Amino acid sequence: YPLSLHDALTIYKQMKVFKFGGASIKDARGVRNVASMLAKNDGEILVVVSAMGKTTDLLETLVRSYFNGWDETSAIFGQFRAFHLSLAGELFGSDEKIPAGIPEMIGELEKRLQVPLSLLYDFEYDQLICYGELVSSLILSCYLEETGLSNRWIDIRPSLRTDDKFREASVNWKWTEMLVSNNFQFNSHRMIVTQGFIGSTVTNLSTTLGREGSDYTAAILASMLSAESVTIWKDVPGVLNADPKLFPDTVLLKELSYREAIEMTYSGAQVIHPKTMKPLYNKSIPLMVRSFVNPESPGTVIHQPDHPLELIPVFITRENQVLITFSPYDFSFISSGDISTVFAMMSAKGLKVNLIQKTAIDLNLLVDAPELGLETMVLDMRKEYEVKYNTGLTLITIRHYTAESVEKLTSGRKIYIEQYSRLTAKLAVV
């Protein structure tokens, strides 16, 4: 009998989105562990996969070499190929048993390296970097089939449409929602495997959503398909109040609101991509951050709680910051027009502003250090303003700060700029 709308939606809502980062599939043992975890879950699952291990770092090296015409390009590509074929050979028993689609996909990257260069680094970056996710997701999909977990592999690029701002593309929501709804169907499989981080323009040029953008992809798909939940599987127990690599005695935050998570990630917390929250908040879809090392533990849930949360200080550090000070040449006050002009400069140069503070004749901005060309940028800015800058700073953000927590992190350090709001303290230090 035909299902009622309520029953149909109830069944559809059982679909869950699982996102696996590079650390979870960095080797054959990790891929086997992911397959074991997926085998224990019933219902429809959409699996979003990042590049394996440090593959994105390797591909960034490949991009630089390719763009600059260095002799190392072939050797770097050889590392990419050898790593993935070795891992696949271990999974499938021998090189001869590797499914043909895997070396063919790797071969596509090799062919792309023979294409004449454009003059746009960011464009070339996106055309090459996408193969990390494409190859990793294909290896996982083929291995799941090998173990009896029937699934459908989907290249997400024809569905996730973006503008042409390469390396930081914005999603075309209208086109993407229509294409995802049409293409991501669970008709003959209960599991779909696809990629995070990547998309394409309407002219089929590959784009990326920004580093660590796979979380954002998972949220986009969950929102458009009305998923029951999203789970991000990490190598940590959940969301902690500090980076365990930098701080001892970290504490697990078992529950967070969407707002709190947005504030943490925007300030630089690496556990989740900053853009992840909005699509989930709009559809009230809970986000779980759990450990693939100990998948039975509950981890952290991010949702809209119906009760007050008692939160402890949360410490976030952002390295490699540059403090830039702008002053009008004519000694006039900093106006709203100056702020608008300076921010337009920052946007045009692709600089991310993390802190702003003005005095009578100075406008101070703390920005992420650019990959290259800072001195050239400053020379250009000096056409409009007197510009001074300091490099090598660290931005410390403390959510729910106390006097003791500020003293603990700044004792013995030089503070260049500090800012306090009701719940957040931000300090640029060396």
Side-chain angles (χ1 to χ4, degrees):
Y1 296 97
L3 291 172
S4 68
L5 178 60
H6 176 269
D7 290 342
L9 289 174
T10 300
I11 292 172
Y12 192 59
K13 283 279 286 185
Q14 298 307 304
M15 190 271 286
K16 299 178 181 178
V17 177
F18 282 3
K19 182 263 173 174
F20 291 97
S24 65
I25 50 171
K26 65 181 180 180
D27 51 28
R29 179 181 178 183
V31 175
R32 293 189 187 102
N33 181 54
V34 167
S36 175
M37 292 166 58
L38 291 172
K40 296 175 182 176
N41 283 272
D42 297 324
E44 295 172 346
I45 302 175
L46 174 54
V47 181
V48 177
V49 184
S50 297
M52 293 175 158
K54 299 297 183 180
T55 296
T56 301
D57 293 339
L58 178 65
L59 286 174
E60 288 184 335
T61 304
L62 178 66
V63 175
R64 285 193 294 272
S65 181
Y66 169 67
F67 192 78
N68 290 293
W70 295 341
D71 294 337
E72 293 84 0
T73 301
S74 179
I76 297 169
F77 168 74
Q79 293 178 48
F80 176 88
R81 176 172 54 194
F83 169 77
H84 289 92
L85 291 180
S86 174
L87 190 151
E90 186 176 347
L91 286 172
F92 296 102
S94 69
D95 292 349
E96 292 73 23
K97 295 181 180 180
I98 297 174
I102 295 171
E104 288 174 2
M105 182 68 74
I106 295 172
E108 286 186 22
L109 172 57
E110 186 173 25
K111 291 177 183 177
R112 183 62 184 73
L113 291 169
Q114 310 307 315
V115 174
L117 273 168
S118 72
L119 299 178
L120 300 175
Y121 182 85
D122 289 351
F123 167 77
E124 299 296 347
Y125 179 100
D126 280 3
Q127 306 322 297
L128 300 180
I129 213 81
C130 60
Y131 283 95
E133 276 68 22
L134 291 168
V135 174
S136 68
S137 62
L138 187 57
I139 290 174
L140 176 62
S141 174
C142 291
Y143 181 70
L144 293 175
E145 288 284 349
E146 182 79 3
T147 60
L149 289 175
S150 178
N151 70 93
R152 180 181 169 211
W153 182 85
I154 297 179
D155 182 344
I156 197 173
R157 291 175 297 174
S159 298
L160 203 158
R161 296 299 191 175
T162 72
D163 62 13
D164 60 358
K165 187 179 180 183
F166 299 102
R167 297 190 70 181
E168 198 72 43
S170 296
V171 176
N172 183 320
W173 288 90
K174 181 179 178 181
W175 274 107
T176 299
E177 186 164 20
M178 181 186 71
L179 292 166
V180 165
S181 298
N182 290 338
N183 298 335
F184 281 73
Q185 299 287 337
F186 290 86
N187 296 330
S188 56
H189 301 87
R190 74 168 187 89
M191 191 180 303
I192 291 175
V193 178
T194 194
Q195 310 80 37
F197 176 55
I198 65 176
S200 73
T201 67
V202 293
T203 55
N204 295 318
L205 298 173
S206 296
T207 57
T208 61
L209 306 179
R211 278 299 298 259
E212 309 300 330
S214 293
D215 297 348
Y216 185 35
T217 303
I220 292 168
L221 294 174
S223 175
M224 292 180 173
L225 297 172
S226 298
E228 176 185 327
S229 64
V230 175
T231 302
I232 297 176
W233 297 95
K234 308 281 290 186
D235 57 358
V236 291
V239 180
L240 306 174
N241 75 319
D243 185 342
K245 298 175 184 176
L246 302 176
F247 295 87
D249 305 320
T250 55
V251 176
L252 174 67
L253 305 174
K254 296 181 179 179
E255 187 179 17
L256 290 171
S257 66
Y258 293 115
R259 177 181 292 274
E260 190 63 35
I262 287 174
E263 291 289 353
M264 290 174 58
T265 57
Y266 183 80
S267 295
Q270 297 295 311
V271 68
I272 309 167
H273 189 279
K275 294 182 180 179
T276 304
M277 291 304 121
K278 187 176 185 296
L280 303 180
Y281 170 81
N282 289 343
K283 290 287 188 73
S284 298
I285 299 171
L287 171 66
M288 271 74 77
V289 181
R290 298 173 63 185
S291 169
F292 62 79
V293 179
N294 185 13
E296 304 304 320
S297 61
T300 302
V301 59
I302 300 170
H303 61 153
Q304 193 58 53
D306 56 5
H307 55 275
L309 299 179
E310 295 183 8
L311 295 173
I312 60 175
V314 175
F315 306 98
I316 304 161
T317 59
R318 198 179 192 109
E319 303 289 344
N320 204 18
Q321 299 292 292
V322 180
L323 178 62
I324 308 177
T325 301
F326 297 85
S327 306
Y329 282 118
D330 63 359
F331 210 63
S332 59
F333 293 150
I334 291 289
S335 67
S336 57
D338 292 309
I339 296 174
S340 177
T341 300
V342 169
F343 266 79
M345 285 184 186
M346 297 295 102
S347 178
K349 298 180 186 304
L351 295 174
K352 176 178 171 52
V353 179
N354 298 315
L355 189 151
I356 174 173
Q357 192 174 90
K358 83 181 254 320
T359 64
I361 57 173
D362 288 338
L363 178 63
N364 299 289
L365 301 180
L366 193 72
V367 304
D368 291 338
E371 290 183 19
L372 45 85
L374 175 63
E375 291 184 2
T376 302
M377 291 180 185
V378 170
L379 284 174
D380 189 45
M381 294 171 187
R382 283 177 176 157
K383 296 175 184 177
E384 302 285 338
Y385 296 92
E386 179 183 350
V387 180
K388 300 176 183 177
Y389 68 95
N390 300 87
T391 60
L393 279 67
T394 297
L395 173 61
I396 298 174
T397 301
I398 310 175
R399 287 283 292 169
H400 310 285
Y401 65 93
T402 62
E404 293 78 12
S405 62
V406 172
E407 173 63 25
K408 178 181 178 181
L409 265 68
T410 59
S411 178
R413 308 181 79 166
K414 181 177 180 179
I415 301 175
Y416 275 74
I417 189 170
E418 55 188 320
Q419 195 173 89
Y420 298 87
S421 62
R422 293 182 180 87
L423 297 176
T424 304
K426 289 181 175 287
L427 308 102
V429 303
V430 291

